[in-house]
Amino acid sequence: MDSMTKRSEAGVSARDVDWAPLKRALEGEVIVSGDARMVLAKKQFAAGRPLPIPHALLRCRSTADVRRALAFLVERGLPFAVRSGGHCFADLSSSDSAVVDLSDLRHVAPRGERVFVGPGAHASRVSKALSAVGRAIPTGGCPLVAIGGISLVGGFGYLGRKHGLVADQVERLEMVGADGAVVHASREEAADLFWALRGAGAGNFGVVTELTLRTVPLASITICHGEWPLREAAALLELWQEFAPEADPDINLEVGLGMADDDETPPFVKLFGVLLGEEARAKASLALLERHLGALAPGVRTWRLPPLLAAEYLVGMLNHVAEPAWLPSFPYADTGFQFTRSDFFEKRLTREALRDCVERLGEDRRYAEAREVEFIPWGGAYAHDDGSACFQHRGARLLIRHTGMVGTRSTDALRAHVRQWVEASRAAVQPLANGRVYQGYADTGLGDWAGAYYGDRYARLQAVKRKYDPTGVFQHAQSIRPG
């Protein structure tokens, strides 16, 4: 399909295009402005500003559909975004022109120790299909995140310190390239692309239409949860950072600081996560944790979950205390606003930085602002690097994420205020960071996003870009440049 490499020099607006030929060609749907079904283009949260709604939403149902959609867009010089689940924190999978929507490519086919999945399959859908055959993959804790996005940026969760990133489980990918050709990438086929897609694959080189992943046996787990008043947060964080990042990989415990969006719920600090292994091993891990926490240990509770409930907890269908989690209804009638900044850390944080971060949580908070700071342990299997994936964040001890959220009816002033808090919260600890940022928490506030996400791997990624997308068909605000 040579025509796909020829971009229209003049270009046209999506509103001026006759979409009828594509409507006839696709197995899926072409939804245009004015159609009530355009609500399917909305997200739960936008990245701090009104979400761009596309003129055309191209809901592809097959690899052939993706090829037809790309050919149509490229021949007309139309800008577009590619979306699997729509959870990009920087809205890089959104466009006011056209969106190639992969949410209907959601097949899940377990076969032995592997699973073949479409990029639009939600983590909860994959988990349910795998748990039925006694298997799992180390997805993240949000059930509505699509497997395509999380696999291409890295992907971490409760099983990650034991088994590695979601990207580390990927053995093969099918991708439609800029020229319309279908490419298969693995260690043996297009190894350069295989390396690049696992860590830098989101909207950079082509449209991934199927992934093959290794799975692991699903087993019972012990989950932990402790909650304390915010006055205990600095002490808990000091203890946690001395324990969690270097703990045995069977132990994966996070700490979260939080303030709800109302005035009735007091601010809190929580410890939550998993103790893997047989029950006796989990009890030994718990005893080790309790000795480390000392006077704070009585605040910790545990639950032993059998495999099927374990699968629901690991993917976020159960909350931190093993109850059914609240999930938003889809499609989203309204879109809220979320502001997120994050950093990786290789060194321990000082007592002063931790206290400063805790103190800033409630500083000048206004009604309807929800605030959260999440401390995520790294190490374990995340540190294993065999060179086959471009993901660079292997040597970190921990990851910290600062998030502020307000509702869809929030004012410009309130959004600006919560953004200022996120910046202030990050400023409390950022001087101790290693200069790297998780690409799964895409951040348009970064000056050197290429260095923050990819470090010295960026030049090699540019070479892959030149090979597979030399004319820059796939572009967004932080897409890899051909060089």
Side-chain angles (χ1 to χ4, degrees):
M1 297 178 63
D2 292 340
S3 61
M4 290 196 61
T5 64
K6 299 176 182 177
R7 305 291 298 273
S8 167
E9 292 186 7
V12 293
S13 166
R15 297 183 180 277
D16 299 329
V17 168
D18 177 10
W19 294 93
L22 187 60
K23 289 181 178 181
R24 292 192 294 269
L26 286 195
E27 302 169 45
E29 299 174 298
V30 177
I31 301 170
V32 297
S33 294
D35 191 318
R37 294 173 298 167
M38 189 56 80
V39 70
L40 295 170
K42 291 188 175 182
K43 296 169 52 178
Q44 184 183 3
F45 288 103
R49 56 189 178 278
L51 181 73
I53 299 299
H55 176 74
L57 185 67
L58 315 181
R59 292 175 60 85
C60 299
R61 290 183 182 166
S62 65
T63 299
D65 265 6
V66 171
R67 298 184 74 202
R68 296 181 188 112
L70 288 178
F72 185 91
L73 293 166
V74 174
E75 286 169 358
R76 289 158 179 79
L78 291 170
F80 63 91
V82 181
R83 175 185 295 178
S84 55
H87 282 75
C88 177
F89 284 3
D91 292 338
L92 302 179
S93 61
S94 298
S95 169
D96 61 4
S97 175
V99 170
V100 178
D101 183 352
L102 308 178
S103 58
D104 283 339
L105 275 73
R106 58 178 184 265
H107 59 279
V108 184
R111 297 176 194 166
E113 295 184 356
R114 287 167 180 78
V115 62
F116 299 80
V117 298
H122 289 166
S124 56
R125 181 182 180 92
V126 178
S127 176
K128 184 175 181 180
L130 287 176
S131 64
V133 294
R135 308 294 294 184
I137 57 174
T139 57
C142 178
L144 300 182
V145 167
I147 202 69
I150 194 173
S151 298
L152 299 180
V153 296
F156 65 90
Y158 291 124
L159 293 180
R161 297 191 74 249
K162 177 71 172 181
H163 297 291
L165 302 164
V166 182
D168 293 335
Q169 320 308 314
V170 175
E171 293 190 335
R172 194 170 190 254
L173 305 104
E174 177 183 88
M175 187 192 83
V176 178
D179 61 355
V182 177
V183 182
H184 292 101
S186 67
R187 290 178 184 267
E188 293 77 31
E189 313 163 271
D192 55 348
L193 182 63
F194 183 64
W195 172 85
L197 287 174
R198 295 183 308 136
N204 277 310
F205 308 102
V207 181
V208 171
T209 52
E210 186 177 74
L211 307 94
T212 304
L213 298 96
R214 290 188 304 275
T215 63
V216 298
L218 177 63
S220 298
I221 64 173
T222 295
I223 68 171
C224 285
H225 179 265
E227 184 170 342
W228 298 265
L230 195 63
R231 65 176 179 271
E232 304 289 359
L236 177 67
L237 283 168
E238 283 201 63
L239 294 169
W240 174 87
Q241 73 162 343
E242 296 296 326
F243 174 76
E246 276 84 31
D248 186 280
D250 281 347
I251 301 172
N252 195 336
L253 300 171
E254 300 183 17
V255 169
L257 312 177
M259 295 190 74
D261 60 0
D262 57 58
D263 289 337
E264 292 73 43
T265 306
F268 58 83
V269 57
K270 291 182 178 181
L271 174 79
F272 55 91
V274 301
L275 306 176
L276 304 179
E278 298 294 333
E279 188 167 7
R281 179 166 178 77
K283 286 182 177 179
S285 296
L286 176 62
L288 182 64
L289 171 65
E290 289 175 335
R291 287 197 300 273
H292 194 80
L293 292 181
L296 295 176
V300 176
R301 299 171 59 199
T302 63
W303 295 259
R304 186 70 179 172
L305 300 184
L308 292 181
L309 288 180
E312 293 189 4
Y313 177 87
L314 293 169
V315 80
M317 297 297 290
L318 298 181
N319 65 19
H320 297 155
V321 293
E323 297 171 345
W326 175 85
L327 295 176
S329 57
F330 185 81
Y332 307 115
D334 299 306
T335 298
F337 298 91
Q338 176 172 308
F339 306 82
T340 296
R341 304 297 305 271
S342 70
D343 295 282
F344 278 105
F345 297 78
E346 294 176 11
K347 299 178 181 178
R348 288 171 171 78
L349 282 77
T350 64
R351 180 177 301 177
E352 292 73 23
L354 291 172
R355 287 180 176 174
D356 192 11
C357 186
V358 172
E359 289 172 0
R360 294 190 190 196
L361 181 70
E363 195 172 71
D364 192 26
R365 179 194 160 274
R366 298 179 183 176
Y367 182 77
E369 288 183 6
R371 297 177 174 182
E372 179 183 271
V373 185
E374 189 175 7
F375 294 76
I376 302 157
W378 217 244
Y382 294 139
H384 299 166
D385 186 6
D386 64 2
S388 67
C390 77
F391 190 85
Q392 70 153 333
H393 312 293
R394 301 290 183 172
R397 296 187 73 246
L398 59 102
L399 170 64
I400 301 179
R401 186 182 89 174
H402 314 260
T403 301
M405 292 171 286
V406 290
T408 186
R409 291 181 292 278
S410 58
T411 63
D412 290 344
L414 184 59
R415 293 199 292 273
H417 186 262
V418 74
R419 184 193 298 274
Q420 290 169 3
W421 170 77
V422 170
E423 297 294 338
S425 181
R426 182 185 184 226
V429 294
Q430 198 272 335
L432 301 172
N434 68 359
R436 303 294 187 240
V437 173
Y438 175 49
Q439 51 266 45
Y441 294 161
D443 181 351
T444 55
L446 295 170
D448 177 18
W449 56 264
Y453 298 157
Y454 309 120
D456 61 6
R457 292 159 170 76
Y458 188 66
R460 183 177 171 189
L461 287 168
Q462 288 184 295
V464 178
K465 179 76 168 179
R466 287 193 295 272
K467 180 177 178 179
Y468 291 94
D469 184 19
T471 60
V473 167
F474 298 96
Q475 298 180 20
H476 53 68
Q478 293 183 340
S479 57
I480 292 166
R481 313 297 190 242

